[in-house]
Amino acid sequence: MDYVYGPGRNHLFVPGPVNIPEPVIRAMNRNNEDYRSPAVPAMTKTLLEDIKKIFKTTTGTPFLIPTTGTGAWESALTNTLSPGDKIVSFLIGQFSLLWIDQQQRLKFNVDVIESDWGQGANLEMLASKLAGDTAHTIKAICIVHNETATGVTNNLAAVRKILDYHSHPALLLVDGVSSICALDFRMDEWGIDVALTGSQKALSLPTGMGIVCASPKALEASKTAKSVRVFFDWNDYLKFYKMGTFWPYTPSIQLLYGLRAALDLIFEEGLDNVIARHNRLGTATRLAVEAWGLKNCTQKEEWFSDTVTAVVVPPYIDSSEIVRRGWKRYNLSLGLGLNKVAGKVFRIGHLGNLNELQLLGCLAGVEMILKDVGYPVKLGSGMAAACAYLQNNIPMIPSRI
Amino acid sequence: MDYVYGPGRNHLFVPGPVNIPEPVIRAMNRNNEDYRSPAVPAMTKTLLEDIKKIFKTTTGTPFLIPTTGTGAWESALTNTLSPGDKIVSFLIGQFSLLWIDQQQRLKFNVDVIESDWGQGANLEMLASKLAGDTAHTIKAICIVHNETATGVTNNLAAVRKILDYHSHPALLLVDGVSSICALDFRMDEWGIDVALTGSQKALSLPTGMGIVCASPKALEASKTAKSVRVFFDWNDYLKFYKMGTFWPYTPSIQLLYGLRAALDLIFEEGLDNVIARHNRLGTATRLAVEAWGLKNCTQKEEWFSDTVTAVVVPPYIDSSEIVRRGWKRYNLSLGLGLNKVAGKVFRIGHLGNLNELQLLGCLAGVEMILKDVGYPVKLGSGMAAACAYLQNNIPMIPSRI
Amino acid sequence: MDYVYGPGRNHLFVPGPVNIPEPVIRAMNRNNEDYRSPAVPAMTKTLLEDIKKIFKTTTGTPFLIPTTGTGAWESALTNTLSPGDKIVSFLIGQFSLLWIDQQQRLKFNVDVIESDWGQGANLEMLASKLAGDTAHTIKAICIVHNETATGVTNNLAAVRKILDYHSHPALLLVDGVSSICALDFRMDEWGIDVALTGSQKALSLPTGMGIVCASPKALEASKTAKSVRVFFDWNDYLKFYKMGTFWPYTPSIQLLYGLRAALDLIFEEGLDNVIARHNRLGTATRLAVEAWGLKNCTQKEEWFSDTVTAVVVPPYIDSSEIVRRGWKRYNLSLGLGLNKVAGKVFRIGHLGNLNELQLLGCLAGVEMILKDVGYPVKLGSGMAAACAYLQNNIPMIPSRI
Amino acid sequence: MDYVYGPGRNHLFVPGPVNIPEPVIRAMNRNNEDYRSPAVPAMTKTLLEDIKKIFKTTTGTPFLIPTTGTGAWESALTNTLSPGDKIVSFLIGQFSLLWIDQQQRLKFNVDVIESDWGQGANLEMLASKLAGDTAHTIKAICIVHNETATGVTNNLAAVRKILDYHSHPALLLVDGVSSICALDFRMDEWGIDVALTGSQKALSLPTGMGIVCASPKALEASKTAKSVRVFFDWNDYLKFYKMGTFWPYTPSIQLLYGLRAALDLIFEEGLDNVIARHNRLGTATRLAVEAWGLKNCTQKEEWFSDTVTAVVVPPYIDSSEIVRRGWKRYNLSLGLGLNKVAGKVFRIGHLGNLNELQLLGCLAGVEMILKDVGYPVKLGSGMAAACAYLQNNIPMIPSRI
């Protein structure tokens, strides 16, 4: 099973699942445990408290659901909305597309605001729709904070501003899968009603925990939402929260201890430092892409993502070949272009527990692959650009000063 | 976090999550990986083939869903049935109760056949219902193979016989959560349409994988079933199966490697030997209970479960106190009595990767606890009874002969 | 490699290497590290301080040597003695025999005081030798605190008393391999000059660290000792202690973190509680042996060992067959009889991070094996005796009260 | 304990201990085991057979000793030589110096042939000494194959040629600590009598196993060698080899399984491919150093080491500051300059289970550090040089073609 193992470490730069730090791997290296003993609820309590800090919420209620991001989406929607409800949803790439597909299959009435892949959400269109909706028929706005397929970060503060400007009561549901714990994210300040992420993204855990946080308004909505749901029903969780046993069904003991370790690492580094580090990694990547003479799939700087960069390749190159070569020759895992941009972009994920030298190893690999596939890159150019920036900006490691 | 750690190993005898064998813990001790690389689909293919052997099916289609048993239930129901469909469901304990609750909340028309807790499914009643249903309005029969709350194993072969006798086309949906891979289970031979289990039970993995297997008839039903579903939709899996990439969303890499190791261990021991071992463990436990002068919650021998024994305590003892003392004094984790039998029974789980001496340590602990709480047990009596049987019946370890 | 794996856990009851607790396995689950970084010396400092508590010394100097118990012996001898030096050494079993063999091969003039295997050190003989040695030609007394081959614990306080009574300046060198951290051990109070143990014994780590503690008098002796040594030379360590880098050559990073975790667990439980637990385990084992009608190899109660029990089998039984069957049928690892008692005794190690229910599982296994090999044991008898004692004596787990 | 943990992986580029590959970490993640069971000797047998392939010997006898490289040295010397024996030993850097110190303290009569640090062994001098030694008073030649302090690889084939030319019967003892399993090494072909390495070097294991291989001539010598030894005595091993139990004292179970996994990885890659990979890593490093305008401590190309590069810094820079900054700012662990070259060189270890992108991450780090400390490096220059070479020379990963 291990024997596609190449010599040395795998350089994992897909935008999730991401590298798990050693202390987290260690924390999860354990036998099962009775989750009804006094120990597990006691730990769960600390996790629920601490996860709120990651979302920057004090009023939200978190749910740690044994599922993936797709399940977290379903949890957000079915707990707050009823079939037939009108929602506005932004389509800007593959993951927003998949969420919209889910919204439609869950029988909501989805008003899709589409942008070109590489652009952010069209907020003017949102403003105009809200302006026209004086009857408040729109029940929710669904937006992906960071579109993982194109490396586009949407401006959530602006979305809130528009809603407020129109005094519109629609719920604001946010996919923070590739943003929370890596990008600036402020659930309370931005009036987000449901925010969600997955354990295998910036939290740097294995897949298997969908993390959903609901505002008081979202919880209120869940009391009347008519979408059929059982596994994803927040009420089952709330019932067990009240009892102090927390779990309506069996959680993964390993992921709980893993989350504990992951949060400890994040608080040790400082959440703001974590976010700043992601900005450094994103900036360095973009500087390298520029130095290679390639285009960022993201069309404007205001949408640049600090967690994933989608790089556009010239038309005579198949970006899938870049990914294939990465794996076969350099033990480097890059992200494929998806759907509309399949073959046209490859993606560098730079999120989670990752440092600058790891990224530079990846960028060196990309340079060599570009040469492999016939792109006239000047070897060292991307590294030079990235290093020039990083050498000025990397801070001392706080625990080692 | 570790410091409710008692000296020595925790003796984990709840009926799930169960002990994870060392080779499986090792296999999962790893970083994340790109699940879109060629390696993961190649491994997934072997898992899907091999998991069918555990269900004893050649025609079934397996789904490895990132969820729990509760999610696996929901997957079984929503993929095969439409809201309003009439189903017959057996209520014999807490887990059948929870499944029925789910069935009702998913808007099926549930005809509940209730038995006393401690009895098996009332199959006479099923026969009479099927006899009266010449119009075939009953779309599915839902039955829990092994009720974990009371230690009752239902006779699935008999259920199939009744369906066949009445030539009734209802789907047969089976919760095999605490049976599959521990008790005799024959999906094809017994004409089971959907069978399901969870990774943390007899497969001896962490929680996080709901394993569902669908017969061709169930797959056919899924094409017209109108229950709203996305995360649990088999069709999304089937689409990716066809593409050879297998995963509609991100799986847990760790659980995949863990499942590979778990299956390898099971095949190494031999599935029939695994089942025989569970019979030995169950028999030994029941002999000890008898020797202690206590009653098995299971009312008839035909229903005795080889994976969990629910022990009835005298009225002057609170069974929860037994569980508490196990944890606080002996580092022994026993199962609580649930719902109707709360305070009245405690449960010994004897499933998964477990051997006889581990069980005997547990039984010794139970004896001492019984004494602790004022029950006049003769110390050594249960051990003597269990050992007398085991010493005659334990085989040599095949790999060591 | 794993596939002599039997179902369930291996029951490891050899008197070393012993079971490693999960938190220690976790702590060692890590990559290598630069041992010249500031982190490793900082941790080493805490280890050196804390290991002294285990030896109950404040004046001793500890050495954590990458070696085994045999190497620790050599370190003790070569650093304090010169070839030709006269030493008195007690021969009471296989390990004292091996140490004496080493002493002779290292060219010391060894005066052996031999006892029957199963008896403790002949202290009267020591007294008489010391009385006769008014010229103080005896440079050292070498004694094994707990002879692992026969389960005999020597009375170190009495040895010190005799030395003091005769005002004899001989160094007191003690093999504490199967005693330190399990039996009452007081380096300072008993005037021990060199005490040593191995990581794989009561500290419950993997093999690979010989732990040696030297009194100021022993350190003084090392300045003039003429035994040739380099790898084992304390002076090389002391030089690096002074520099604050601690390691004359590369230590095992994993064992350092493992030792840290092991010490944390011991301090959490309380060293005195650890010792009391070993007494409970030893007592319970002896009560079982008695109930089975078998003899303890240890001839007098005053020598009973709380870390290992050597059980004498009737002449018509080959004790090796007992060990073989344990491994082949019950996944139970017992200790063989060694040398003079080969075939005549088998050994139950009950030391390290172990609890009562684990021991009871082992004792149940031994009962069944005894029956297997034709000994007329009454099944349950040993369990009954052990449980009767334990049920009265096991304390609550401190961290769970 | 973990909390000097920086974000992301530690970049470990000291020349040992080196990175442990994940499959090896996994293999060692286990409880202790009875090393006297049938399983451990069976595995040991495969290890002893397979380790010989690493040394390229069919006639040698390997010893896996629970010790470090320093202990392996002592084992090589004390088993083959007697106090007072004349030996010729090359002094070319810190590790040859330490070995010579050991040789002297072990009371051999050491004739030291010294070279400048940065030069290889002076073989002309050896030739002249052998020519003069018609009486064959020289009993052994001791040479470090790869001096880890200066990155100098000696020509062992040439040493053998000289010995043969003079028909000199002296034993050839070789320290292969930082060469075996990374550089071309041919024990039999080069007539090496004792070769040794440590587990934490190119084998990529934790520290704790000294691996020594003795030629038949060396074994013969061990029968008459008068150096006092017990722990390191080969005869104790040979006695247990004959019995088929292999271990005179307790081995580390974890290291045995780790070695099994390490060897499997090496054979999977192919030993010659492993050696070729080290050549690529060494070449790339030297090209970067050249591009930075810095000098290699190794004075001639014929001595260039493919496992470690010692880089000379300009006089106005303290190389220790480079190492410090690596650790404090970049999570990069580099090797210090030792003894004569302290402050003057820093070292990049490029041995063990390591790939090209890992190295490039390290080289990027070194570039930035050089800039940090005021050296006028052109950022990207080293990367460009290394990548230009590597992009032409990295083969496909065999298991992924």
Side-chain angles (χ1 to χ4, degrees), chain A residues 90-134:
Chain A
F90 296 96
L91 168 48
I92 64 167
Q94 178 65 6
F95 291 93
S96 37
L97 177 69
L98 287 171
W99 199 16
I100 287 167
D101 173 64
Q102 185 185 65
Q103 291 154 14
Q104 291 168 334
R105 288 161 70 189
L106 292 173
K107 311 294 187 197
F108 305 119
N109 174 7
V110 191
D111 187 354
V112 177
I113 302 181
E114 191 166 356
S115 301
D116 277 356
W117 288 37
Q119 297 193 340
N122 184 335
L123 299 188
E124 292 74 21
M125 188 70 84
L126 174 66
S128 107
K129 280 183 196 284
L130 291 182
D133 184 41
T134 48

Side-chain angles (χ1 to χ4, degrees), chain B residues 8 329 353 372 391 394 400, chain C residues 4 8 329 353 372 391 394:
Chain B
R329 193 180 192 206
N353 195 282
D372 284 358
Q391 192 263 334
I394 297 176
R400 298 187 183 173
Chain C
V4 292
R329 193 181 191 205
N353 195 282
D372 285 358
Q391 192 262 334
I394 297 176

Side-chain angles (χ1 to χ4, degrees), chain D residues 88-162:
Chain D
V88 172
S89 209
F90 295 95
L91 168 49
I92 64 167
Q94 178 65 7
F95 291 93
S96 38
L97 177 69
L98 287 171
W99 198 15
I100 287 166
D101 173 63
Q102 185 185 64
Q103 291 154 14
Q104 291 167 335
R105 288 160 70 189
L106 291 173
K107 311 293 187 201
F108 305 117
N109 174 7
V110 191
D111 187 353
V112 177
I113 303 181
E114 190 166 358
S115 302
D116 276 356
W117 288 38
Q119 297 192 340
N122 185 336
L123 300 188
E124 293 74 22
M125 189 70 85
L126 173 66
S128 105
K129 281 183 194 283
L130 291 181
D133 184 41
T134 49
H136 296 170
T137 60
I138 299 170
K139 296 302 176 204
I141 313 297
C142 293
I143 185 164
V144 170
H145 187 196
N146 188 77
E147 171 56 63
T148 318
T150 56
V152 164
T153 304
N154 282 315
N155 186 340
L156 297 181
V159 173
R160 167 49 53 200
K161 220 178 251 176
I162 295 167

